[in-house]
Amino acid sequence: MSSGDPDNRALCIPYIAYRQNLFWKKYRIVVIPACNEENHIIPCLLALAAQSLVLPDKVILWINNTTDQTYTRALSLQNKLPFALEIIQITYDPATANAGTARREAMAHAAKNAPHDALLFTTDADGEVAKDWIYRTLEAFAQYPVEAVFGQALLLPSEYAKIPLRLHEDERAEQAYGALLEQITLLLCPQPHDPWPRHIVHSGASIAVTHQAWAQAGEIPNIPSGEDRQFYEALRQNGIRVRHAPEVIVYVSARLLGRARGGMAETLARRIIAQDKYIDDAFEMVSRRLLRIRRELAYQRTNPSSPLSKIHTELLPARILREDLPKHSKRAERVLNFLRHTEYCPSESWQSGIAGQCGIPLHVHYDSAAKIAPDRLE
């Protein structure tokens, strides 16, 4: 993470250096799918207008199947924003009216009319990007050899208290376990383009991708929901490098009546009534993670130019009972501790290529102040 202050251009040395990077000069388009977002759309757009140092060149607001005042309120800002705002209204047939369709078509529209070297961003209409969202995203592109950057989705501080404490505690436990899995992965399979610290969120609230990588991955997947997670998998399976930048942040609402089936709002509402029996299926068992890493490494050695898509279909899904999570966390800590004290510990040459990776702690401490919002849980 840069130590520069993006609010002070004169003192922000990384800003001056990164301005010379090609990513800084690329055309920037932000895509926002919106459905009945009259209460959030103005804060959403104003957050983009308040970006430090660097602004989007264009924002596309894709209003779909909307019956409230989203269009009228967005239109009231159209000539007052420091970027071009294109507002599109569309009504989908009930069979295709979903978040996945909206984001897929909105991104395709943006890409069709953008330069071939453009950067495509997408966020959610109920979110407010941090004031350095674009700056930190470009910083990640400039610092690491990647073609996509995923940011974190955190709850708006004003809405954090809407969620029962027990759900926050469960979420912290899941995130801590996920952090252990990520650290194990990085010790066994170093990734200079995505070193620790990194997050484990794949949310449509914060995605940035090059035009070329978006096309190579097959565009946004054509599924009703969970398109953000599946887009990440498509990038990964096509060998496209991704940075999970913890400093790239979007604040999202904690509403319980959402617009996307299977999205965060639906998950929160369900869990308030009765907590899910299993933790998020994004968090696999330690043994499964180790097996997957082993197979991927073996496959890459014999097929260095082939995608990883065939590897994942061979592994049967195995979910973790919530009541068993403490046991799995302890097992992950033991594995991490073992790896750090055996021949698997990074060598000096390996250390030189991965900044900060050797400082991985034996025990993960979740930052309760971060208030990480749940990713879209299925």
Side-chain angles (χ1 to χ4, degrees), residues 166-364:
R166 60 181 176 82
L167 292 189
H168 287 303
E169 292 173 344
D170 286 345
E171 175 65 14
R172 282 193 289 270
E174 289 188 25
Q175 293 292 332
Y177 176 67
L180 287 168
L181 291 179
E182 291 302 296
Q183 292 173 87
I184 289 171
T185 299
L186 290 173
L187 283 175
L188 291 172
C189 185
Q191 297 176 6
H193 66 279
D194 196 21
W196 188 262
R198 68 185 191 186
H199 65 79
I200 49 180
V201 177
H202 302 117
S203 169
S206 185
I207 299 175
V209 62
T210 65
H211 190 294
Q212 182 179 0
W214 164 83
Q216 184 180 340
E219 306 181 9
I220 301 296
N222 188 17
I223 54 178
S225 63
E227 76 286 349
D228 38 17
R229 284 187 173 186
Q230 289 303 310
F231 182 58
Y232 167 71
E233 286 301 322
L235 290 168
R236 185 172 181 273
Q237 292 173 13
N238 279 277
I240 298 170
R241 292 179 173 179
V242 176
R243 171 62 179 155
H244 297 83
E247 63 274 16
V248 177
I249 296 172
V250 175
Y251 297 96
V252 297
S253 72
R255 63 188 179 193
L256 302 180
L257 183 59
R259 310 294 185 264
R261 296 177 182 177
M264 190 179 81
E266 182 179 293
T267 299
L268 289 174
R270 183 183 69 247
R271 288 185 169 186
I272 286 176
I273 297 173
Q275 179 58 285
D276 293 341
K277 182 178 180 181
Y278 295 92
I279 69 170
D280 185 351
D281 56 9
F283 304 117
E284 58 194 342
M285 295 180 182
V286 179
S287 57
R288 189 177 189 275
R289 173 64 63 97
L290 294 174
L291 177 59
R292 181 162 62 81
I293 293 171
R294 180 180 179 182
R295 290 187 177 183
E296 287 182 1
L297 290 174
Y299 184 81
Q300 288 176 336
R301 280 195 295 269
T302 57
N303 304 275
S305 61
S306 299
L308 297 171
S309 56
K310 294 182 179 180
I311 296 293
H312 300 277
T313 59
E314 298 175 359
L315 295 175
L316 297 176
R319 302 192 64 182
I320 296 175
L321 288 168
R322 187 169 301 281
E323 63 185 23
D324 291 340
L325 181 56
K327 177 179 65 178
H328 288 275
S329 294
K330 290 181 180 179
R331 182 177 300 158
E333 288 182 355
R334 289 197 300 269
V335 171
L336 181 59
N337 185 62
F338 172 79
L339 292 174
R340 284 179 56 88
H341 292 89
T342 64
E343 67 271 16
Y344 293 102
C345 186
S347 64
E348 291 184 4
S349 60
W350 187 80
Q351 294 177 29
S352 64
I354 304 180
Q357 198 114 316
C358 294
I360 294 174
L362 292 179
H363 301 284
V364 176

Side-chain angles (χ1 to χ4, degrees), residues 11-43:
L11 298 178
C12 189
I13 296 176
Y15 168 77
I16 299 172
Y18 290 142
R19 281 295 302 265
Q20 307 306 314
N21 187 276
L22 290 177
F23 277 100
W24 208 275
K25 302 175 182 180
K26 292 180 182 292
Y27 192 78
R28 301 175 293 274
I29 304 179
V30 178
V31 173
I32 310 172
C35 176
N36 291 325
E37 295 289 2
E38 62 182 4
N39 294 326
H40 296 283
I41 196 58
I42 287 182

